[in-house]
């Protein structure tokens, strides 16, 4: 049985955006899609009534919506924790003041420690300066949590340490790492954007070290399910999983995404549609959609090279959206898993079988 409600819903409130990021997962052509203000407030009420604990408002660029703070306030006023992710370019003094009053946490994207790297990845000159300026403005106007979000790719992976140190220097409350995904605009040149599984292992090892180094000064987080392979504390916390219990990726199992046109998918990096909130109740989609069933079935997820792995229940074959993006199904091992890669190398039969 699925959990009664997702622990987190990511809501892409618009697909309008003023940047052209190389890694954008929601990039599309054609007219913008989004709910009207009345529709958005009604959906906010629905999520609050269901007691969804956390809602992330993203896009596109969410601040492109003039009513974003109204949506935030509607949710926070009913006890929902709200997180807004922004590229920072549209942050003004007025918007910073209104965000502070509405009560969300805000994450500003920062993909380089210098303008050359960040602006290249964001596709727009001046994006770095705007992001740094936005962080300072949000802090000055009293937004209670201002953090940084970093998308790791082949174009910035060697500068991650510099980004972490810059985030701490400018007073960021947190830094969140996520890996560039095989979807959206990144698919156009994924070889340049991607890193190898072994390089990703080293990134996660650095993550564990940075988390300890900056503890008490800046929270460093990631939702990546492969973290358990290199983090002894996390592995120990998940060691007691048994029976039908498993951890790993939360896509379609403990979280989902609502797109600007109302479609519900397991994750923002997966376009497999479970239903539409414009056609049926969100709770019904969450509880009954057959599209979400494989994401909740340990035996379906953990197959092939992952069978018998000591990390099986804690990892559950890794990130399902990466599997979906590369293989077209969530029921394959995470293509970024270095453990699976080594097991295939040691057993050519697994590689031939596509396990």
């Amino acid at each position: 049985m699925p959990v009664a409600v997702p622990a987190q819903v990511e809501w892409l409130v618009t697909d309008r955006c003023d940047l052209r990021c190389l890694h954008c997962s929601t990039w599309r052509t054609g007219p913008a899609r989004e709910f009207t203000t009345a529709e958005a407030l009604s959906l906010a009420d629905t999520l609050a009534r269901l007691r969804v604990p956390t809602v992330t408002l993203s896009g596109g660029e969410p601040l492109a919506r003039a009513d974003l703070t109204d949506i935030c306030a509607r949710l926070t006023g009913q006890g929902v924790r709200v997180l807004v992710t922004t590229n920072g370019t549209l942050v003004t003094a007025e918007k910073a003041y209104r965000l502070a009053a509405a009560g969300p946490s805000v994450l500003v994207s920062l993909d380089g420690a210098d303008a050359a790297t960040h602006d290249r990845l964001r596709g727009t000159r001046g994006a770095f300066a705007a992001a740094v300026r936005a962080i300072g403005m949000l802090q000055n106007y009293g937004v209670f949590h201002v953090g940084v979000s970093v998308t790791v790719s082949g174009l910035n992976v060697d500068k991650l340490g510099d980004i972490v140190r810059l985030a701490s220097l400018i007073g960021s409350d947190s830094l969140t790492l996520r890996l560039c995904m095989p979807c959206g605009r990144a698919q156009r040149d994924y070889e340049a954007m991607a890193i190898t599984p072994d390089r990703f292992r080293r990134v996660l090892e650095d993550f564990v070290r940075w988390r300890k180094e900056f503890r008490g000064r800046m929270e460093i987080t990631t939702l990546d399910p492969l973290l358990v392979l290199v983090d002894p504390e996390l592995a120990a916390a998940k060691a007691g999983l048994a029976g039908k219990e498993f951890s790993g990726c939360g896509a379609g199992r403990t979280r989902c995404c609502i797109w600007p046109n109302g479609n519900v998918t397991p994750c923002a990096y997966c376009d497999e549609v479970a239903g539409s909130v414009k056609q049926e109740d969100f709770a019904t989609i969450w509880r009954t959609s057959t599209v979400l069933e494989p994401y909740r079935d340990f035996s379906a997820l953990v197959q092939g090279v992952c069978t018998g792995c000591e990390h099986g229940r804690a990892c559950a074959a890794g990130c399902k959206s990466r599997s979906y993006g590369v293989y077209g199904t969530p029921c394959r091992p995470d293509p970024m898993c270095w453990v699976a890669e080594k097991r295939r190398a040691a057993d050519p039969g697994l590689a031939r079988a596509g396990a």
Side-chain angles (χ1 to χ4, degrees):
M1 290 289 292
V3 294
V5 295
Q8 180 179 19
V9 171
E10 181 164 7
W11 179 3
L12 311 181
V13 294
T14 184
D15 50 22
R16 286 184 285 160
C17 189
D18 56 327
L19 300 187
R20 295 295 179 266
C21 304
L22 298 181
H23 56 258
C24 181
S25 59
T26 58
W27 172 76
R28 64 186 299 276
T29 58
R33 308 168 297 175
E34 58 188 51
F35 289 19
T36 65
T37 296
E39 289 172 333
L41 294 178
S42 177
L43 179 56
D45 289 340
T46 295
L47 297 176
R49 185 173 63 253
L50 292 171
R51 299 185 181 277
V52 173
T54 301
V55 174
T56 299
L57 302 178
S58 185
E61 171 47 53
L63 283 172
R65 289 193 65 126
D67 59 2
L68 178 71
T69 51
D70 297 326
I71 300 170
C72 290
R74 190 67 156 248
L75 289 163
T76 59
Q78 299 179 77
V80 179
R81 177 178 179 266
V82 177
L83 177 66
V84 172
T85 64
T86 175
N87 62 40
T89 59
L90 301 183
V91 173
T92 62
E94 180 185 358
K95 288 180 179 178
Y97 173 81
R98 291 175 64 187
L99 283 166
S105 301
V106 180
L107 292 188
V108 179
S109 299
L110 194 65
D111 295 328
D114 54 66
T117 304
H118 182 88
D119 290 0
R120 178 187 179 191
L121 282 161
R122 293 279 156 180
T124 305
R125 183 176 297 178
F128 176 77
V132 174
R133 182 171 59 247
I135 291 168
M137 195 176 297
L138 292 165
Q139 292 167 334
N140 291 339
Y141 276 87
V143 173
F144 83 95
H145 183 105
V146 181
V148 161
S149 175
V150 183
T151 299
V152 181
S153 73
L155 301 182
N156 68 357
V157 66
D158 294 329
K159 300 292 183 66
L160 288 182
D162 294 337
I163 301 172
V164 172
R165 285 183 284 275
L166 173 62
S168 178
L169 181 66
I170 60 180
S172 178
D173 293 314
S174 65
L175 181 143
T176 300
L177 287 175
R178 65 183 182 91
L179 188 63
C180 176
M181 302 293 280
C183 58
R185 186 179 275 119
Q187 286 183 314
R188 299 193 303 182
D189 191 13
Y190 191 60
E191 286 190 7
M193 298 296 290
I195 61 177
T196 66
D198 190 64
R199 185 68 183 90
F200 189 44
R201 172 187 59 79
R202 286 182 281 141
V203 167
L204 292 177
E205 289 173 344
D206 286 339
F207 169 91
V208 174
R209 177 172 55 80
W210 291 326
R211 189 182 59 194
K212 293 178 180 177
E213 179 182 347
F214 289 92
R215 185 168 289 161
R217 290 181 287 160
M218 179 174 69
E219 182 184 13
I220 300 182
T221 67
T222 182
L223 289 176
D224 202 285
L226 296 186
L227 177 64
V228 72
L229 305 185
V230 298
D231 186 344
E233 292 180 11
L234 184 60
K238 297 177 182 293
L241 295 171
K244 293 184 178 181
E245 295 179 319
F246 66 97
S247 186
C249 182
R253 187 172 58 88
T254 61
R255 56 183 170 83
C256 66
C257 179
I258 300 174
W259 289 65
N261 63 352
N263 284 348
V264 177
T265 64
C267 173
Y269 307 112
C270 169
D271 59 7
E272 193 172 19
V273 179
S276 171
V277 295
K278 291 193 172 184
Q279 297 174 1
E280 56 186 320
D281 182 68
F282 173 76
T284 300
I285 297 170
W286 175 254
R287 293 167 184 163
T288 67
S289 173
T290 56
V291 168
L292 300 178
E293 289 178 1
Y295 294 83
R296 300 165 175 173
D297 184 349
F298 180 77
S299 62
L301 296 176
V302 180
Q303 300 184 39
V305 71
C306 293
T307 303
C309 177
E310 63 177 307
H311 304 288
R313 292 196 176 276
C315 168
C319 174
K320 298 301 92 194
S321 291
R322 283 198 291 260
S323 298
Y324 181 83
V326 171
Y327 304 120
T329 174
C331 301
R332 290 282 299 275
D334 189 334
M336 290 304 295
C337 180
W338 57 92
V339 174
E341 188 177 58
K342 288 179 180 177
R343 295 186 75 183
R344 290 190 196 98
D347 186 349
L350 290 173
R352 286 194 297 270

